[in-house]
Amino acid sequence: MDRRILVIGGGISGVQAGLDLAQMGIQVTLVEEKPNIGGRMAQLDKTFPTNDCSTCILSPKLVELASHSNVDIFTCSSIEDVVKLDERFQARIRKRARFVDEEKCTACGVCAEKCPVKVSDLFNKSITTSKCISIPYAQAVPAVYKIDKEYCLYLTNGKCGICKKVCPADAIDYEQKDTIEAMDFNSIIIATGTEEFTPQIRPEYGYKVYENVLTSIEYERFLSASGPTNGQIVRPSDGKLPSQIAFIQCVGSRDVASGNYGYCSSYCCMQATKDAIITKEHNLTIDSTIFYIDIRAYGKDFDKFVDRAKTEYGVKYIKSRISEILEAPDTKNLIIKYITPDGKIRIEEFDLVILSVGIRIPDKSKNLLRGLGVELDEYGFCRCSTFQPGETNVDGVYVCGTVTGPMDIPEAVVSAGAAASLAARGLLSPDTSSEIMAEKPGEVDTEAKPLNIGVIVCHCGTNIASVVDVPSVVEFSRSLPNVKFAHELLYACSQDSIRLIINKIKEHDLNRIVVASCSPRTHESTFQSGLEKAGLNKYLLQMTNIRDQCSWVHQNTPELATQKAKDLVRMAVGKSRYLEPLYELYSDVNKACLVIGGGIAGMTAALFVADNGYQVYLIEKESELGGNLLKISYLLPEEDIVLALQRLIRRIEEHPLIELFLNANIKDIKGYVGNFTTNFTTNDEEKSAEHGTVIVATGAREHETESYGYKTDPYVVTQREFETVLKNKNPLMKYVNSIAMIQCVDSREGERNYCSRVCCGQAIKNILQLKKDYPDKDVYVLYRDMRTYGLREPYYAVAREAGALFLRYEKDRKPVVEKIEQGNFKIKLFNEILGKDIYLPVQLIVLSVGIDSLETNGQVAKMLKVPLNEDGFFNEAHVKLRPVDFSTSGVFVCGMAHGPKHIDESIVQAIATAAHALTIVTRDKISSEAYTASVDESRCSGCGLCVEVCVFGAIEIDEESERAGVNTLLCKGCGTCVAACFSSAIDLRGFTNKQIINEFQELFL
Amino acid sequence: MNAKKIGSIYPDFKNEVSRCPGGENIMRCFACGTCVLSCPVSEVTAEYSPRRIIHMILLGMKEEVLGSDAIWYCVKCYRCHVMCPQEVKYPEIIRVLRKMALEQGYVKPLFVNAINEIDRITQDMRCTMLEQIIVRRDSITENDMKEISKFSEKLDY
């Protein structure tokens, strides 16, 4: 039976869920309301904390999804209704008319150029205008234009019709109607996301009244090179460069008074930090100040990012929520009053103000969710229970991304993987392998034949041809040695052009093809498939980009652009003479999975892999399962943790496909994706397991401190110990009237310069439990920043209302504990609000000590050839878009091994790793890249430098021959080793020294 | 009245305030400082801080709060009330504190009357001055500005 899943929402979480499912071999229908997928991430300039370009990392994912054979994307579409029939969902999808044929449109842009109607450019937050027929940005997927029917002259009153006349692809269709399609699905993933808070609700900030007040997302568009100002930072009022920018945090977040926004939007502190850094990078003369309530840099390496903003980029952070903004009428500067760290009120002028707006669930999504019967919380989020993240109250309906609560991009990606894993349950099995390898037509043997090069030069509508003299480039190509055929095409990528190329290959017996057109990033696969159909090895194609590199960047000097196009073609032809057929290697996949660690993350990952029918070896070093969870008694929100844990352990123990090894120690792990062998001991018995994937879930542990008299006084305890005190109703509570909790003990400074993420929530949880059992006991929380991010913020409010008193301290003015006698302390604390020291008499001190990575991580990392960060936690392949993968294929990470996190976050991540492991084990064979490194053993000295620089763990020094060897299945063809090798012993297939040297020799002819 | 007293601290003072109508939300305060920045009194009297008063209540500094000059400075303009993200309702809390101060003998009724009279006179004076300025709205000179500023110096009652 057809296995098909509906994904609603084409933002990063929907896209990721779709990709994960497609790679498991499941059919995906993705429905997106907007004309293009990519969501809010496509509007961002860069991403924190690495400042990667957002579009650059997102676009490949979008292209990959759109070109995946298992995926159908419905844009301009929405869900009419959903009915559950037996175990399946029948959904009716309304596809609104685009008035442009998606199959025909080549995104050449002639229509928009000629369209006489200007409309507000929504992608650029209406800062600028676009045409009535438009595409939001150059890399949009699908790359298809759309007519805005509200404003189109032809569609509104039958006049104009210019776009239809000028469209070279005949793609304009004014007759297009909305269509409704009914389809059947096994399950549904909802990834409808959120919208930004409208700052007009806080009119005191003057948004849309003062010209120089922008929202954070508008500012992202200003920063973006593809934005309305081409990346120039200017004041909207006068187009001048600002010199002082203020960021105002928590606009529409942590604000119960202007609406129901009692939660924290999670990402805005880091977004402001990133934008302030990028601003400085754009122009050194611009200074930024961030006004905040608490800086919530709770993620991995986030505190270090904030530190860099302060020390390297001079960003000022001032703890002062801004009450209102005034405008200087003459300069349109903005006047902000704030409280200085020493309690003074200061007034300062800024020439640009950015409001860090929070997010909320749009009413439309609420209606969709409610229509499906999904329960929502008081804010409209589909909040999931701790132990069932991603699951809703409706069977077969799953959620991911910000619809489940505010989160940043990696968390959305993780939750998408989890939703994919959940939705795929029951649809996979080792017997129904997903990958059907298409038989390729017999390839022509090109080895012995003389070089017959074909050159195709593309007009790209007018994109290239309006600047570059295409016919002269074709004429020039014909003059080059070995070129047997040269031809120009209006759109080389269109279906009939590809057919023409195939015919010409056969007709002229061509065995190398050069295409001078656009970017191989978007179009290489199109031309490669043409070569394959003509019986040529697809790697005998060489593309050269005469659009971006010639017509776009040199549009004012057409003659020189044409000359450059000729040079580029000559280089491409030069390289093509040395192209060789390349082949992907295939290797069998062992379908078992090894999970290292039997805590909550490891157990969850093991169950999700095993529940889909695949063998799991679960290895735990202790004598029982459960890990850190065994020491936790309460949860926020309240749930029965003991029962949940017992159930989980029982399911693991009873699962026929999970083989559990306790008291286990790994001795070594050998092999590579699809083919690992692990030797280990269990209860001192030697064992060995063969498996295709590895999930690292080794966890972390509570930090051991000696600060504030811990270890010398039984009345100084950790948060976790305090939890046990509360649970056991320990008699010591009789002698305790007031309690001080000290946050950030040994954290966020010195050697442990990171936030342990969970401690603020842990403190709140313990306060609520304390106040439930002992309402009269006083509790003081001494904190640096309260980091109850996302939907944890409302619990912070509950704790305050329960009477807990929160007192802030600065890193260099720590509280001083004076022990009067055992169980009787006086804490001296500088109170910045009173401007003086205060003394708190307390009987119990509770320390939030945070989380340490395990010392043993180093050994595991070495065996698996995966990296650790400087704090000893495992480093994922990419912080934004590959948060549970390692660069080394087939190895995944989840839980606190990756960094401190809450239980529900560990579980989500674990389910996501299961999804990624499933994308491998559901295949019978895995293929390598064709572009891989190869070692010339006669030149290799065995120095091992290449081994060190390879992030994919693909190179090893053979112990016997003492020469480097590349594991082709792990090699990604990045070329780092080639550059590193002193002896020039390594070459990269497809980019060999010979090929590149010949390419460049042509340039210097 | 307060059973519990540690040193000069009344840990229950915050509950005492929160039990009174208007004082219910006092413990919601997360000390963001919006009230201070929105306050027209803080603007002219740097020592005056609504946030500090709330903080002192939460800390249980009952005698300092009820005996303070500060609780009589509020002009009840409600700007802080409108701008506070946590709906702490500071002007209502001031109403509660002033009533407590009177009932618990920190001030005498005539003092409260005097404060109310000053508030009334201040408004009266403001309107009178405004009337004079408004009729000359198109011909205000630098000299007028000086005269207005000088006026506040004469105010030493």
Side-chain angles (χ1 to χ4, degrees):
Chain A
M1 190 158 78
D2 191 23
R3 303 175 299 165
R4 185 171 280 277
I5 290 173
L6 172 65
V7 178
I8 309 174
I12 182 61
S13 55
V15 166
Q16 182 64 46
L19 261 180
D20 285 343
L21 287 167
Q23 283 166 359
M24 289 179 212
I26 293 171
Q27 304 291 311
V28 175
T29 298
L30 185 139
V31 174
E32 166 58 47
E33 182 139 60
K34 298 213 169 70
N36 312 84
I37 57 173
R40 195 180 294 115
M41 189 176 170
Q43 290 174 300
L44 303 180
D45 177 42
K46 299 226 164 75
T47 58
F48 60 81
T50 51
N51 288 353
D52 271 329
C53 161
S54 189
T55 304
C56 306
I57 58 176
L58 176 67
S59 294
K61 276 220 184 223
L62 303 183
V63 172
E64 193 182 350
L65 182 80
S67 56
H68 203 290
S69 58
N70 289 341
V71 180
D72 290 322
I73 298 177
F74 284 70
T75 45
C76 299
S77 299
S78 53
I79 302 296
E80 283 286 294
D81 49 40
V82 178
V83 200
K84 198 167 183 182
L85 294 168
D86 301 324
E87 288 305 296
R88 288 173 76 85
F89 296 91
Q90 190 177 70
R92 293 197 307 145
I93 303 164
R94 172 184 290 271
K95 190 167 174 55
R96 291 186 311 280
R98 239 181 213 277
F99 307 102
V100 176
D101 189 327
E102 286 189 28
E103 301 298 318
K104 289 182 182 165
C105 176
T106 62
C108 69
V110 175
C111 53
E113 206 177 291
K114 304 287 181 203
C115 173
V117 183
K118 281 185 181 165
V119 298
S120 190
D121 181 355
L122 295 179
F123 182 78
N124 280 319
K125 306 304 287 181
S126 304
I127 300 163
T128 180
T129 56
S130 64
K131 291 296 182 64
C132 185
I133 182 163
S134 67
I135 193 162
Y137 60 110
Q139 302 89 338
V141 174
V144 178
Y145 277 68
K146 174 183 176 285
I147 297 179
D148 186 338
K149 68 173 180 185
E150 303 288 316
Y151 301 101
C152 172
L153 297 178
Y154 188 88
L155 291 170
T156 49
N157 58 19
K159 287 174 191 142
C160 187
I162 291 175
C163 54
K164 191 174 174 65
K165 273 175 228 146
V166 299
C167 177
D170 192 26
I172 309 293
D173 178 7
Y174 296 125
E175 305 303 315
Q176 216 176 60
K177 296 273 180 300
D178 287 11
T179 56
I180 291 181
E181 194 169 332
M183 291 173 88
D184 258 24
F185 301 97
N186 294 79
S187 49
I188 299 176
I189 293 176
I190 299 170
T192 42
T194 42
E195 66 184 3
E196 297 120 42
F197 174 86
T198 330
Q200 288 97 316
I201 301 175
R202 276 266 171 224
E204 53 266 42
Y205 290 145
Y207 178 70
K208 294 277 182 203
V209 176
Y210 309 145
E211 283 176 76
N212 295 324
V213 175
L214 301 172
T215 67
S216 40
I217 196 86
E218 286 168 350
Y219 190 55
E220 290 277 351
R221 296 313 302 147
F222 274 91
L223 289 173
S224 171
S226 64
T229 58
N230 301 322
Q232 299 298 309
I233 302 172
V234 293
R235 281 158 43 103
S237 68
D238 52 16
K240 283 190 188 143
L241 183 76
S243 66
Q244 297 288 331
I245 299 184
F247 290 85
I248 297 180
Q249 299 305 106
C250 297
V251 179
S253 300
R254 308 181 70 183
D255 183 352
V256 291
S258 67
N260 192 12
Y261 307 111
Y263 52 88
C264 155
S265 290
S266 286
Y267 63 78
C268 338
C269 284
M270 297 308 293
Q271 185 181 24
T273 300
K274 170 195 74 176
D275 288 346
I277 288 178
I278 295 169
T279 301
K280 199 69 169 175
E281 284 177 349
H282 272 243
N283 200 310
L284 286 171
T285 62
I286 309 177
D287 292 324
S288 297
T289 306
I290 298 176
F291 294 102
Y292 68 95
I293 307 175
D294 294 282
I295 281 295
R296 295 194 162 163
Y298 57 85
K300 198 173 175 181
D301 294 336
F302 286 6
D303 263 325
K304 295 186 186 86
F305 191 61
V306 172
D307 285 349
R308 271 181 56 206
K310 287 180 190 168
T311 55
E312 287 176 39
Y313 294 90
V315 179
K316 274 187 276 180
Y317 287 79
I318 293 177
K319 182 183 162 60
S320 178
R321 184 181 177 276
I322 300 308
S323 62
E324 69 178 322
I325 301 172
L326 299 174
E327 188 188 59
D330 46 348
T331 58
K332 306 250 175 181
N333 280 353
L334 301 153
I335 302 158
I336 289 179
K337 200 158 73 166
Y338 62 90
I339 308 175
T340 61
D342 56 356
K344 303 252 162 34
I345 293 174
R346 182 182 292 168
I347 295 172
E348 201 173 318
E349 268 192 34
F350 292 87
D351 27 30
L352 191 63
V353 172
I354 316 300
L355 305 177
S356 287
V357 286
I359 44 172
R360 62 181 172 199
I361 300 281
D363 289 338
K364 238 189 311 192
S365 320
K366 286 184 200 166
N367 294 337
L368 172 75
L369 284 152
R370 288 196 185 112
L372 284 160
V374 175
E375 281 169 17
L376 305 178
D377 75 1
E378 57 184 308
Y379 308 114
F381 291 106
C382 178
R383 200 187 296 215
C384 305
S385 80
T386 303
F387 288 96
Q388 277 87 36
E391 296 189 45
T392 69
N393 56 307
V394 183
D395 267 352
V397 177
Y398 306 97
V399 280
C400 62
T402 50
V403 76
T404 66
M407 60 179 72
D408 62 8
I409 292 166
E411 287 172 278
V413 170
V414 169
S415 76
S421 213
L422 286 159
R425 259 189 316 195
L427 301 182
L428 305 172
S429 89
D431 312 323
T432 59
S433 184
S434 57
E435 189 101 340
I436 302 149
M437 257 180 293
E439 281 295 313
K440 296 201 176 116
E443 268 179 20
V444 180
D445 182 12
T446 51
E447 199 114 334
K449 294 200 176 156
L451 279 175
N452 283 337
I453 303 173
V455 179
I456 302 295
V457 187
C458 182
H459 285 242
C460 197
T462 55
N463 255 311
I464 294 171
S466 64
V467 177
V468 172
D469 180 0
V470 173
S472 84
V473 177
V474 173
E475 203 46 52
F476 169 79
S477 307
R478 289 201 182 104
S479 71
L480 297 170
N482 311 106
V483 173
K484 288 284 163 318
F485 173 78
H487 192 66
E488 61 196 277
L489 289 167
L490 187 58
Y491 288 104
C493 59
S494 70
Q495 288 307 313
D496 47 334
S497 293
I498 298 291
R499 248 175 279 144
L500 180 133
I501 294 171
I502 295 170
N503 290 336
K504 295 295 173 191
I505 290 173
K506 290 178 177 163
E507 190 183 322
H508 297 274
D509 202 15
L510 303 175
N511 49 27
R512 301 288 187 278
I513 299 296
V514 171
V515 178
S517 58
C518 54
S519 169
R521 188 173 50 77
T522 51
H523 283 79
E524 192 174 51
S525 61
T526 310
F527 297 114
Q528 282 184 335
S529 70
L531 265 70
E532 276 183 328
K533 282 180 192 143
L536 276 185
N537 181 287
K538 66 179 181 183
Y539 297 102
L540 297 173
L541 168 78
Q542 182 60 39
M543 281 183 77
T544 188
N545 190 340
I546 60 165
R547 185 189 63 182
D548 304 21
Q549 308 295 343
C550 300
S551 62
W552 279 3
V553 289
H554 305 298
Q555 51 181 299
N556 298 324
T557 49
E559 276 173 30
L560 289 170
T562 304
Q563 185 53 48
K564 186 176 174 185
K566 288 177 183 170
D567 287 344
L568 287 176
V569 168
R570 194 170 71 239
M571 287 170 75
V573 168
K575 184 182 173 189
S576 78
R577 294 196 185 101
Y578 297 90
L579 289 178
E580 291 166 344
L582 299 178
Y583 303 94
E584 293 92 0
L585 278 185
Y586 290 89
S587 167
D588 287 340
V589 174
N590 181 309
K591 299 197 168 260
C593 177
L594 176 81
V595 179
I596 310 173
I600 183 66
M603 287 194 290
T604 306
L607 269 179
F608 270 85
V609 174
D611 278 350
N612 277 304
Y614 295 87
Q615 176 71 43
V616 173
Y617 303 110
L618 177 57
I619 287 187
E620 166 57 44
K621 67 170 189 271
E622 301 293 335
S623 59
E624 62 176 327
L625 290 170
N628 283 306
L629 230 60
L630 293 167
K631 293 169 190 154
I632 296 173
S633 319
Y634 303 108
L635 280 182
L636 197 65
E638 247 177 280
E639 280 180 61
D640 191 336
I641 185 165
V642 180
L643 187 69
L645 182 60
Q646 279 170 354
R647 268 191 204 146
L648 205 59
I649 292 175
R650 197 176 324 127
R651 282 197 57 207
I652 295 269
E653 288 171 345
E654 289 171 357
H655 207 294
L657 287 174
I658 299 178
E659 208 172 326
L660 173 63
F661 302 99
L662 295 172
N663 294 314
N665 262 310
I666 297 183
K667 300 185 92 175
D668 60 59
I669 303 172
K670 289 260 151 68
Y672 50 88
V673 56
N675 301 279
F676 288 103
T677 306
T678 298
N679 293 308
F680 58 98
T681 59
T682 169
N683 297 318
D684 298 326
E685 193 186 331
E686 304 259 336
K687 290 261 183 187
S688 174
E690 296 195 339
H691 49 97
T693 51
V694 184
I695 293 175
V696 178
T698 48
R701 61 176 176 81
E702 189 179 50
H703 171 65
E704 281 177 31
T705 185
E706 289 177 6
S707 304
Y708 300 110
Y710 184 74
K711 281 187 175 167
T712 63
D713 192 311
Y715 288 85
V716 182
V717 298
T718 65
Q719 284 287 0
R720 194 185 262 186
E721 287 163 348
F722 184 52
E723 194 172 333
T724 313
V725 166
L726 292 172
K727 186 192 167 203
N728 298 340
K729 305 248 175 342
N730 190 314
L732 81 78
M733 287 304 287
K734 272 189 210 147
Y735 309 102
V736 171
N737 286 317
S738 56
I739 299 157
M741 292 183 172
I742 304 178
Q743 301 301 107
C744 294
V745 175
D746 305 341
S747 297
R748 298 178 60 197
E749 60 175 330
E751 278 182 18
R752 297 178 75 235
N753 191 16
Y754 59 91
C755 165
S756 287
R757 190 175 178 127
V758 300
C759 330
C760 284
Q762 208 179 7
I764 299 293
K765 174 183 84 172
N766 285 343
I767 289 166
L768 297 186
Q769 192 60 40
L770 171 82
K771 285 289 181 182
K772 204 161 135 192
D773 297 339
Y774 311 94
D776 294 334
K777 306 234 188 263
D778 294 317
V779 56
Y780 304 100
V781 183
L782 282 42
Y783 72 98
R784 285 172 57 190
D785 289 286
M786 277 312 287
R787 293 184 166 176
T788 43
Y789 56 90
L791 298 176
R792 287 174 175 85
E793 176 71 11
Y795 294 103
Y796 173 30
V798 176
R800 293 198 306 275
E801 290 191 85
L805 185 54
F806 291 80
L807 303 165
R808 191 164 168 271
Y809 73 90
E810 288 279 347
K811 184 168 71 174
D812 44 11
R813 252 177 165 163
K814 293 206 180 64
V816 178
V817 174
E818 187 194 330
K819 183 170 164 180
I820 296 162
E821 57 185 328
Q822 181 155 316
N824 196 359
F825 308 92
K826 193 162 84 175
I827 300 181
K828 185 175 95 167
L829 177 81
F830 178 75
N831 187 310
E832 56 193 26
I833 297 173
L834 301 184
K836 61 178 187 186
D837 287 335
I838 60 167
Y839 297 88
L840 305 169
V842 299
Q843 292 77 48
L844 182 70
I845 296 177
V846 182
L847 305 179
S848 286
V849 291
I851 292 164
D852 279 347
S853 59
L854 300 180
E855 293 81 3
T856 49
N857 282 357
Q859 295 157 6
V860 179
K862 210 172 164 193
M863 285 190 271
L864 289 166
K865 295 178 207 137
V866 295
L868 299 179
N869 77 354
E870 60 182 283
D871 303 316
F873 295 101
F874 285 93
N875 248 0
E876 62 274 37
H878 190 277
V879 288
K880 278 291 168 195
L881 294 185
R882 296 185 64 200
V884 300
D885 303 337
F886 283 114
S887 299
T888 308
S889 304
V891 190
F892 310 98
V893 62
C894 61
M896 295 213 290
H898 161 271
K901 54 182 62 68
H902 284 282
I903 296 167
D904 51 343
E905 295 166 338
S906 280
I907 295 174
V908 173
Q909 218 182 6
I911 305 174
T913 54
H916 287 215
L918 288 167
T919 62
I920 290 176
V921 294
T922 46
R923 292 183 249 178
D924 283 338
K925 285 186 186 295
I926 44 161
S927 67
S928 70
E929 305 280 326
Y931 300 126
T932 52
S934 63
V935 178
D936 178 351
E937 289 200 5
S938 66
R939 306 184 85 158
C940 174
S941 66
C943 73
L945 189 57
C946 51
V947 179
E948 259 172 64
V949 299
C950 179
V951 294
F952 306 105
I955 313 184
E956 271 182 350
I957 302 289
D958 187 280
E959 280 172 21
E960 276 176 31
S961 67
E962 292 183 349
R963 298 286 181 268
V966 178
N967 183 331
T968 308
L969 282 160
L970 292 181
C971 178
K972 306 281 185 216
C974 70
T976 309
C977 56
V978 182
C981 182
F982 287 117
S983 322
S984 299
I986 315 183
D987 230 346
L988 189 65
R989 295 184 182 92
F991 297 88
T992 62
N993 288 341
K994 202 159 124 195
Q995 289 165 351
I996 291 171
I997 287 166
N998 274 287
E999 187 175 6
F1000 278 85
Q1001 266 177 357
E1002 295 289 338
L1003 179 63
F1004 300 117
L1005 271 183
Chain B
M1 186 126 191
N2 266 302
K4 208 155 88 177
K5 185 180 175 194
I6 306 162
S8 61
I9 294 296
Y10 296 77
D12 272 338
F13 185 40
K14 57 179 185 284
N15 298 320
E16 209 182 318
V17 173
S18 77
R19 276 194 296 268
C20 295
E24 303 89 345
N25 292 351
I26 180 153
M27 287 187 276
R28 281 196 191 170
C29 174
F30 55 32
C32 66
T34 304
C35 47
V36 185
L37 296 172
S38 65
C39 180
V41 182
S42 296
E43 199 165 355
V44 294
T45 312
E47 296 77 46
Y48 177 71
S49 160
R51 173 166 74 167
R52 193 182 306 139
I53 299 208
I54 293 169
H55 200 64
M56 287 164 77
I57 298 168
L58 297 178
L59 278 166
M61 299 162 76
K62 179 176 178 176
E63 285 163 3
E64 284 100 320
V65 171
L66 295 184
S68 73
D69 303 345
I71 60 171
W72 305 101
Y73 274 78
C74 172
V75 291
K76 289 182 260 173
C77 69
Y78 278 76
R79 279 171 59 86
C80 55
H81 183 106
V82 172
M83 292 179 184
C84 170
Q86 293 291 315
E87 292 182 319
V88 173
K89 302 190 198 166
Y90 178 76
E92 308 291 341
I93 290 167
I94 282 296
R95 191 198 306 278
V96 170
L97 294 176
R98 287 182 180 179
K99 185 160 181 291
M100 278 183 183
L102 182 63
E103 283 173 356
Q104 298 180 28
Y106 286 87
V107 292
K108 296 195 166 67
L110 260 180
F111 172 75
V112 180
N113 290 351
I115 296 277
N116 289 340
E117 187 59 9
I118 286 172
D119 281 351
R120 197 191 61 76
I121 293 170
T122 313
Q123 281 311 318
D124 186 50
M125 211 156 56
R126 180 172 182 266
C127 292
T128 311
M129 288 174 76
L130 280 178
E131 277 165 28
Q132 292 178 24
I133 285 294
I134 287 168
V135 291
R136 290 155 53 195
R137 70 174 90 202
D138 295 327
S139 57
I140 305 286
T141 60
E142 285 296 324
N143 204 41
D144 287 316
M145 293 298 294
K146 276 184 202 151
E147 286 299 314
I148 294 167
S149 301
K150 247 193 255 169
F151 185 76
S152 74
E153 285 157 26
K154 288 185 208 154
L155 261 180
D156 211 348
Y157 159 74

